[in-house]
């Protein structure tokens, strides 16, 4: 059995688990996939988070991608990081850099089981701050200066505004001894409202594809750009939608979704607070069972390039109002653009925009000095 076929059938434990610890954030990025802002008063307690970590250890989950919101805003964040690593669960966390001090960077430098990812969406302040907020570029650069030489990751969501800056991002990463990670802009969370104006043009998609081919294993992409493989040659990374098969997300209140970019009731598999915990959701969810069963190609099955792009991204289709068995909205052959022009379903909105919710009186930057 090929590795991809093995992944399609699902694994005993996810190899890419994203865990959003909080919806609290001191930024309000226009493309935030989780619509973060204020914390949810129902978020998992420290004790509940520890229990999830112990469960991940029993499942032999090698590492977890921690995000938010801004995860370092949680007062118990570093405590939970230490608890995870002491239980043989490595931590890769994404941050805007606002709480990466020189002393914390030294602590990270000496910890082999913690990997930091600094988020930046423009190689210049002008481009970045339009998306992430005034001052966010300077904050990220200051964090990178503290982390220089630690092998941290520089994480970039590729948009129409920064697609021409890939060389500049690579130079920035090289300057600080970091590794560049590029992620596709998905129309999830607040990005539903800005995707039409921010997603790369067809010409830019082609340029991004050529750039990724040229830089090969130097740049991390995960499963972000497998839809571009229909241009011809497969890109490095996972050329498969891993939702519910090798990938899933735990949100701040313990809900488990098939994909970090599909935070919607349609992709809700269960909750870690239920009997059976996370393992029960991963192994027994009806949704995950359906995703792991053989999938038909739908309208794309007759396409010459179906084996390359696999029909594209499930979340991108869902949040642009396209059928899940139809073409990706960024199909390189233009089928997605044609489908968007005649779509019958309105794109769904995120369930909650946490930048506007008033369910909790606590500041959105709770714990942030």
């Amino acid at each position: 059995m090929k590795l991809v076929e093995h992944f399609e059938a699902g694994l005993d434990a996810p190899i890419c688990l994203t865990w959003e610890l909080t919806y609290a954030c001191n930024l309000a990025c226009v493309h935030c996939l989780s619509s973060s802002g204020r914390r949810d008063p129902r978020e998992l307690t420290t004790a509940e988070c520890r229990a999830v970590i112990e469960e991940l250890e029993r499942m032999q989950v090698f590492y977890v991608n921690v995000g938010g919101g801004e995860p370092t805003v949680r007062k118990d964040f570093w405590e939970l990081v230490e608890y995870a690593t002491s239980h043989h669960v490595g931590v890769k966390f994404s941050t805007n850099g606002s709480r990466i001090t020189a002393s914390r960077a030294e602590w990270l430098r000496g910890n082999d089981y913690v990997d930091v990812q600094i988020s930046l969406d423009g190689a210049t302040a002008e481009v970045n701050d339009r998306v992430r907020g005034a001052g966010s570029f300077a904050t990220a650069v200051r964090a990178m200066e503290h982390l220089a030489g630690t092998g941290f990751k520089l994480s970039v969501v590729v948009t129409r505004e920064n697609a021409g800056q890939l060389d500049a991002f690579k130079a920035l990463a090289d300057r600080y001894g970091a590794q560049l990670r590029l992620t596709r802009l998905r129309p999830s969370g607040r990005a539903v409202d800005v995707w039409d104006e921010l997603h790369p043009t067809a010409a830019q998609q082609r340029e991004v594809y050529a750039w990724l081919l040229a830089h090969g294993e130097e740049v991390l992409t995960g499963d972000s750009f497998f839809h571009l493989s229909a241009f011809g040659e497969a890109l490095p990374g996972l050329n498969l939608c891993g939702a519910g098969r090798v990938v899933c997300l735990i949100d701040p209140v313990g809900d488990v979704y098939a994909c970090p970019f599909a935070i919607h009731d349609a992709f809700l598999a269960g909750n870690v607070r239920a009997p059976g915990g996370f393992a029960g959701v991963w192994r027994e969810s009806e949704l995950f069972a359906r995703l792991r069963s053989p999938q038909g190609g739908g309208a794309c099955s007759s396409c010459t390039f179906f084996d390359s792009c696999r029909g594209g991204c499930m979340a991108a289709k869902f949040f642009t109002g396209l059928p899940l068995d139809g073409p990706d909205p960024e199909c390189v052959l233009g089928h997605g653009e044609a489908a968007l022009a005649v779509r019958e379903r309105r794109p769904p909105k995120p369930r909650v925009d946490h930048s506007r919710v008033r369910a909790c009186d606590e500041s959105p930057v709770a714990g942030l000095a």
Side-chain angles (χ1 to χ4, degrees), residues 35-153:
S35 301
S36 288
R38 289 178 175 261
R39 67 176 290 270
D40 190 310
R42 302 169 300 152
E43 69 185 29
L44 298 175
T45 65
T46 302
E48 288 174 319
C49 288
R50 284 175 173 242
V52 171
I53 290 168
E54 292 165 5
E55 194 170 9
L56 298 181
E57 180 184 26
R58 291 193 295 271
M59 294 175 70
Q60 297 184 313
V61 173
F62 181 65
Y63 73 89
V64 58
N65 292 302
V66 172
E70 171 53 43
T72 62
V73 165
R74 272 191 68 133
K75 296 176 183 179
D76 59 359
F77 173 72
W78 299 109
E79 174 189 342
L80 291 174
V81 169
E82 292 186 10
Y83 194 77
T85 56
S86 69
H87 283 73
H88 311 103
V89 179
V91 174
K92 300 186 179 186
F93 72 92
S94 297
T95 175
N96 57 40
S98 56
R99 299 193 77 182
I100 302 297
T101 62
S103 59
R104 182 54 66 181
E106 281 305 306
W107 182 85
L108 290 165
R109 196 181 301 275
N111 196 317
D112 293 334
Y113 297 98
V114 182
D115 197 9
V116 189
Q117 194 164 269
I118 301 295
S119 298
L120 198 67
D121 292 321
T124 60
E126 179 185 10
V127 173
N128 177 83
D129 290 6
R130 279 201 297 268
V131 173
R132 302 188 64 81
S136 56
F137 181 84
T139 296
V141 169
R142 183 170 60 249
M144 290 193 289
E145 290 170 348
H146 291 322
L147 292 167
T150 62
F152 71 94
K153 307 296 187 295

Side-chain angles (χ1 to χ4, degrees), residues 258-276:
C259 169
F261 303 100
I263 304 175
H264 189 277
D265 288 347
F267 304 103
L268 177 60
N271 189 286
V272 301
R273 285 171 164 148

